[in-house]
Amino acid sequence: MLQALESGTDPDREAEPGHKIACLMALERKVLWLSTWMIHNANHLRPNRDGLKVGGHQASSASVVTLMTALYFDVLRPQDRLAVKPHASPVFHAIQYLLGHQTRDRLERFRAFGGAQSYPSRTKDGDTVDFSTGSVGLGVGMTLFASLAQDYLRLKQVVPTEDPPGRMIALAGDAELDEGNIFEALLEGWKHDVRNLWWVIDYNRQSLDAVVSDRLFGRIDAMFEMMGWRVVTLKYGRRLEAAFAQPDGHHLREWIDSCPNSLYSALVYKGGEGWREHLHRDLNRYPGIRAILDRHDDAALHRLMTNLAGHDLRSVLDAFHAVSDDKPTCFIAYTIKGYGLPFAGHKDNHAGLMNRDQMTSFQRSMAVPEGAEWDLFTGLDIEPERLSRFLSTLPRARSGRRWHDAPRVPVPPRLPTPRGAKLSTQEAFGRILGDIAATGGALADRIVTTSPDVTVSTNLGPWVNRRGIFDRAERADIFREEHVVSAQRWAMSPQGQHIELGIAESNLFLQLAALGLAAPLFATRLLPIGTLYDPFIKRGHDALNYACYQDARFILVATPSGISLAPEGGAHQSIGEPLIGLGQPGLVGFEPAFADELTILMRWAFEEIQREDGQSVYFRLSTRPIEQPRRTIGTDLEEAIIAGAYWLREPGEEAELAIAYCGAVAPEVLAAHLELVEEIPKTGLMAITSPGCLHRDWRATRPLGEISVTERLLGRLRPEAALVTVGDFHPATLSWLGAVAGNPIVPLGVERFGQSGDIPDLYQAYGIDAEAILDAAARACLLPLR
Ligand SMILES: Cc1ncc(C[n+]2csc(CCOP(=O)(O)OP(=O)(O)O)c2C)c(N)n1
Ligand SMILES: [Mg+2]
């Protein structure tokens, strides 16, 4: 399948176009070998201690060897960024190995602890990975939002614009197009007129379970064209095109075009004899095929019939190099899953692995002697020196670090606290951000907000009014021009600092992921803030997880939340989201009750998302206005608010009861506490701003023999003191507090779907009102000790 070429070291010959293609073909062959061998080694040659199959997708990898060879060894420029189809990870690692960016040791430990990762991972594989992939569809969508992030920075000229922009490229499996996030992203991309975007579809017409429906044909290109993309279809390789050009050769094209995907795949698997039998059967309708059958033996016939353009290096290179403008382009590259391997085309090949015998004959055909399996250039028809020289000239091999550093954005030591007797945390958020917008400076300039059609209702209004909406073109605010009164300005321009998205929450998280990686990707820092309704975090949770997995940094503001949004009803009430704030790696949740707490936490969050070992921050806010404490926050209290908890009402010495609460239930808790202290005067009241911080701190300090924040706070109580925890969320968010020091505990919270109502009715019905807290306190005091 891979052509042998003459060798020689004459430097003049190295300048010939034939030299490049010869080197690329040799590398293509080596990439196929190394990726296949890497998986074989992991599955058959390494000791297996747990009896689990290691796996590694030999068929999915083989499918994209040509496409990735073309991209990495010829097409990509240093500023281009690529999201690799997750199960082509071995191909990616093999290419990095050839480029000198991956070690043999890590390849030998592919899918082992500390080795090359099963799916390309920014945080585990490091600098060579532009975007992590794994959950299909998300890496593809990510490239679109990275392109939008790049536009945002270039149009504002915060990054140098002399160099051409990077192309954001996704190499996608065809079944990835079944993921809804792809369509959501496409529509959003159309609205924002995205550019510099390539999606290369590995159109092998197979997914995990089966061969995909023929009826899909024509749908994919239509869809992309509808969204304003250029579609380039790479269907037939040059050998097939040559056969079609023979007299009556069009009969062969017609036969293949009308061949169902399943039959084509099955014949790919069966080989020359199978093709001959079927083509023979159809000679009445396609007599032009006879001459082709006569001219080809079985092996040549098989080679011809599987000569799809996605495996024809020259066709692939021509197609990529023909695109030089910035119009988003979808390449539909016809390929064969498992191309060049014994299970090519078989519908069950997704998880298939070559057995030892198959590998032995494959190794022979690749001319790789035993013991030379990891050699870079053995078995190729070009001398190693020529190949090595060729590789050393490639921009990808020469370019040093792919990730950039960027200076931190300074954050002022204090932000002004919004004043008011009664405030909701949502209102406070809007005012804090509005203040920052008005004050200006570096912090204000680097904040970028984004929201999936809930900008106004999450209170980003004050910010947007001052900082404007981002668009690549100036767009007037027609309502304003027509003097129609509106509190909300809606003019757009490249200077705008708010990216308005359609409702799809998945897009919000991908946009946050892209903006939150501005430093490593584009060498400048952004401080992204995304707002949405708390319950709809779940709608985009996989994309949120994906953003965190890549260590993107952003602030998420989720509001309104819980049953405290009252009349909005059950369909909008979040219950389990605080558990995401507690359990999601890379993200920490806060649910402050008061405006002064939120002010401190937002200031801290702007720093936290910039710290090397920092994380993203999730604020769960409420629309419920509550009375604000009149107090000045000193350093100790500030630190406690950031650490996750403090005593809002100090417990008396040897107190036997404490209430711990979080968020908008503060008024009920304060009311219950007032009553309780009449009977149990020493009762303490603990304000928790972050269950997640407390939990992590508790887990982290234990093994070190240190005392956690929670233990220190609970240490103020009698050892057997009773605890009641309260929050407008699932009670499991705080019930673990009972395990910290072994206190008997009654956790209150919401476990059922909510419904419309006002707060008094709902808090009563769901058992988080003052009455319920008093009942719980009585029960907690009676609980037997362990
Ligand atoms: C969100 C998600 N769902 C399911 C999977 C499991 N899965 C891995 S690959 C795959 C099929 C991929 O088919 P395709 O994209 O066509 O790639 P190919 O294997 O054909 O190269 C599936 C369902 C996954 N990785 N991510
Ligand atoms: Mg496929």
Side-chain angles (χ1 to χ4, degrees):
M1 102 201 198
L2 300 161
Q3 210 170 305
L5 277 128
E6 277 180 66
S7 53
T9 46
D10 177 355
D12 285 346
R13 287 192 42 211
E14 295 190 8
E16 288 169 12
H19 171 68
K20 180 174 100 174
I21 203 82
C23 288
L24 290 174
M25 282 179 156
L27 290 168
E28 176 191 37
R29 181 182 168 99
K30 191 46 94 180
V31 169
L32 176 67
W33 163 255
L34 282 171
S35 53
T36 311
W37 175 253
M38 189 187 317
I39 300 167
H40 185 76
N41 177 68
N43 283 275
H44 295 291
L45 306 179
R46 262 197 335 238
N48 182 328
R49 297 187 301 179
D50 53 16
L52 285 182
K53 174 183 168 177
V54 179
H57 305 111
Q58 283 172 332
S60 300
S61 291
S63 191
V64 290
V65 163
T66 310
L67 294 168
M68 285 181 64
T69 299
L71 285 168
Y72 275 99
F73 295 120
D74 193 49
V75 176
L76 294 184
R77 305 159 306 171
Q79 69 269 40
D80 298 334
R81 301 271 176 188
L82 184 60
V84 176
K85 181 181 82 162
H87 29 301
S89 188
V91 179
F92 171 78
H93 295 310
I95 287 173
Q96 297 308 324
Y97 180 57
L98 286 161
L99 287 170
H101 300 320
Q102 178 61 287
T103 64
R104 170 174 167 179
D105 173 61
R106 281 177 58 88
L107 293 193
E108 289 192 52
R109 288 186 298 127
F110 170 61
R111 289 191 164 219
F113 191 65
Q117 295 297 296
S118 44
Y119 306 109
S121 163
R122 284 189 79 255
T123 53
K124 313 282 181 341
D125 288 314
D127 190 56
T128 51
V129 178
D130 294 327
F131 304 111
S132 302
T133 51
S135 177
V136 297
L138 294 180
V140 186
M142 176 76 180
T143 56
L144 186 147
F145 290 99
S147 175
L148 196 53
Q150 178 176 243
D151 285 349
Y152 180 92
L153 292 167
R154 287 178 69 92
L155 287 165
K156 288 189 173 53
Q157 307 202 328
V158 245
V159 289
T161 49
E162 312 83 62
D163 289 339
R167 288 174 299 213
M168 301 297 137
I169 304 175
L171 178 60
D174 46 357
E176 292 199 65
L177 300 184
D178 287 335
E179 288 288 357
N181 85 275
I182 297 279
F183 302 88
E184 296 174 356
L186 271 178
L187 198 56
E188 200 59 56
W190 177 82
K191 290 187 221 163
H192 288 276
D193 192 12
V194 281
R195 318 267 174 96
N196 305 300
L197 188 61
W198 284 10
W199 286 1
V200 181
I201 297 172
D202 170 20
Y203 193 46
N204 59 26
R205 302 165 312 286
Q206 276 186 251
S207 58
L208 191 158
D209 286 332
V211 176
V212 303
S213 162
D214 295 300
R215 288 165 54 233
L216 209 58
F217 174 76
R219 298 289 129 189
I220 297 176
D221 25 358
M223 184 178 83
F224 279 93
E225 275 160 1
M226 202 171 74
M227 296 294 173
W229 289 51
R230 172 195 293 116
V231 176
V232 177
T233 303
L234 291 88
K235 191 163 185 185
Y236 296 117
R238 294 148 68 100
R239 206 175 289 135
L240 268 174
E241 290 289 2
F244 300 155
Q246 299 290 315
D248 287 335
H250 63 279
H251 281 178
L252 182 63
R253 182 199 288 272
E254 286 160 25
W255 187 91
I256 302 181
D257 280 347
S258 62
C259 179
N261 287 343
S262 295
L263 177 60
Y264 183 86
S265 292
L267 293 179
V268 167
Y269 180 70
K270 287 174 82 173
E273 231 177 289
W275 290 113
R276 189 172 299 282
E277 188 192 326
H278 267 268
L279 289 167
H280 210 267
R281 227 186 267 170
D282 292 339
L283 282 178
N284 277 349
R285 261 175 68 207
Y286 303 103
I289 291 177
R290 183 180 296 281
I292 293 167
L293 288 181
D294 291 345
R295 273 204 312 274
H296 293 78
D297 65 13
D298 280 358
L301 185 63
H302 182 61
R303 220 169 21 248
L304 176 69
M305 296 302 286
T306 55
N307 179 233
L308 299 184
H311 300 300
D312 186 315
L313 195 57
R314 283 192 176 88
S315 305
V316 169
L317 289 171
D318 288 350
F320 286 151
H321 286 302
V323 174
S324 55
D325 61 11
D326 64 0
K327 184 172 174 157
T329 301
C330 169
F331 297 90
I332 303 178
Y334 277 71
T335 54
I336 290 167
K337 191 156 168 171
Y339 184 69
L341 306 182
F343 40 50
H346 197 293
K347 73 177 178 58
D348 304 334
N349 65 10
H350 185 81
L353 292 173
M354 284 159 72
N355 61 30
R356 284 168 188 268
D357 290 345
Q358 288 171 323
M359 183 46 90
T360 305
S361 50
F362 181 61
Q363 182 163 3
R364 213 172 298 127
S365 74
M366 286 273 134
V368 175
E370 220 173 296
E373 288 88 354
W374 299 105
D375 284 6
L376 290 173
F377 305 125
T378 308
L380 305 177
D381 295 312
I382 301 193
E383 304 92 76
E385 302 74 46
R386 280 182 71 193
L387 268 177
S388 159
R389 241 188 336 271
F390 174 78
L391 281 172
S392 68
T393 61
L394 299 178
R396 283 272 154 170
R398 278 181 287 128
S399 66
R401 288 199 59 207
R402 302 227 1 102
W403 295 352
H404 305 287
D405 292 322
R408 296 202 190 162
V409 179
V411 181
R414 287 209 160 265
L415 298 175
T417 304
R419 296 287 160 210
K422 271 188 145 191
L423 279 177
S424 71
T425 43
Q426 190 201 81
E427 189 185 347
F429 162 70
R431 284 170 52 185
I432 294 166
L433 215 51
D435 260 351
I436 295 174
T439 310
L443 175 66
D445 291 345
R446 289 312 169 99
I447 290 175
V448 49
T449 58
T450 179
S451 183
D453 202 22
V454 289
T455 299
V456 176
S457 50
T458 55
N459 214 11
L460 272 177
W463 165 264
V464 172
N465 275 344
R466 288 192 180 268
R467 292 278 158 167
I469 297 176
F470 170 75
D471 196 283
R472 69 165 62 247
E474 301 274 349
R475 292 183 203 276
D477 181 352
I478 301 292
F479 274 69
R480 201 169 182 78
E481 288 193 347
E482 293 297 323
H483 308 292
V484 179
V485 178
S486 163
Q488 199 58 55
R489 295 184 191 178
W490 214 251
M492 302 178 183
S493 77
Q495 283 72 48
Q497 284 181 252
H498 172 74
I499 301 178
E500 178 70 6
L501 300 171
I503 308 175
E505 282 75 14
S506 181
N507 284 341
L508 169 76
F509 292 117
L510 292 181
Q511 184 66 85
L512 287 173
L515 297 168
L517 289 174
L521 291 177
F522 305 117
T524 193
R525 241 172 236 278
L526 287 173
L527 305 174
I529 300 179
T531 68
L532 83 170
Y533 295 176
D534 197 48
F536 304 130
I537 286 181
K538 291 223 186 81
R539 175 69 81 101
H541 191 181
D542 195 26
L544 168 61
N545 181 57
Y546 173 74
C548 294
Y549 183 67
Q550 314 204 57
D551 201 23
R553 301 294 181 77
F554 50 87
I555 295 172
L556 184 63
V557 177
T559 171
S561 58
I563 58 173
S564 304
L565 53 62
E568 287 276 326
H572 277 37
Q573 292 170 345
S574 59
I575 299 172
E577 281 68 6
L579 296 170
I580 294 175
L582 196 148
Q584 173 66 53
L587 183 78
V588 64
F590 285 85
E591 187 166 351
F594 304 115
D596 54 5
E597 294 171 348
L598 179 64
T599 312
I600 290 196
L601 290 169
M602 277 187 64
R603 201 209 74 80
W604 170 83
F606 287 127
E607 284 187 334
E608 176 68 7
I609 62 171
Q610 301 191 67
R611 279 202 355 214
E612 181 128 17
D613 58 348
Q615 59 200 321
S616 291
V617 180
Y618 153 37
F619 290 116
R620 186 176 193 246
L621 304 185
S622 172
T623 41
R624 181 186 189 192
I626 61 174
E627 208 154 314
Q628 300 294 304
R630 272 184 225 104
R631 60 182 174 183
T632 316
I633 295 185
T635 316
D636 287 354
L637 183 52
E638 179 172 337
E639 281 171 11
I641 288 168
I642 294 166
Y646 63 94
W647 287 112
L648 184 64
R649 300 283 183 268
E650 297 277 338
E653 208 153 305
E654 295 286 297
E656 55 215 275
L657 174 68
I659 316 291
Y661 81 98
C662 189
V665 294
E668 283 65 28
V669 179
L670 281 160
H673 183 260
L674 263 186
E675 278 198 41
L676 277 169
V677 285
E678 291 192 359
E679 292 200 17
I680 313 174
K682 294 179 183 170
T683 304
L685 178 51
M686 191 193 294
I688 293 181
T689 52
S690 172
C693 272
L694 292 185
H695 194 272
R696 281 177 207 179
D697 167 68
W698 173 48
R699 295 257 308 129
T701 45
R702 264 283 153 102
L704 305 173
E706 291 170 5
I707 299 185
S708 65
V709 170
T710 321
E711 278 165 304
R712 199 170 310 122
L713 288 168
L714 293 178
R716 297 281 305 278
L717 310 174
R718 262 167 69 165
E720 68 277 21
L723 285 182
V724 174
T725 58
V726 200
D728 181 357
F729 44 53
H730 194 280
T733 313
L734 290 178
S735 61
W736 59 271
L737 283 175
V740 174
N743 300 83
I745 186 165
V746 177
L748 300 181
V750 182
E751 285 173 304
R752 291 170 291 130
F753 286 118
Q755 55 191 295
S756 297
D758 65 6
I759 284 186
D761 277 346
L762 289 171
Y763 278 19
Q764 184 188 32
Y766 291 84
I768 53 173
D769 64 352
E771 202 62 35
I773 297 167
L774 292 173
D775 280 357
R779 267 185 291 140
C781 290
L782 294 176
L783 282 178
L785 279 176
R786 284 182 308 174

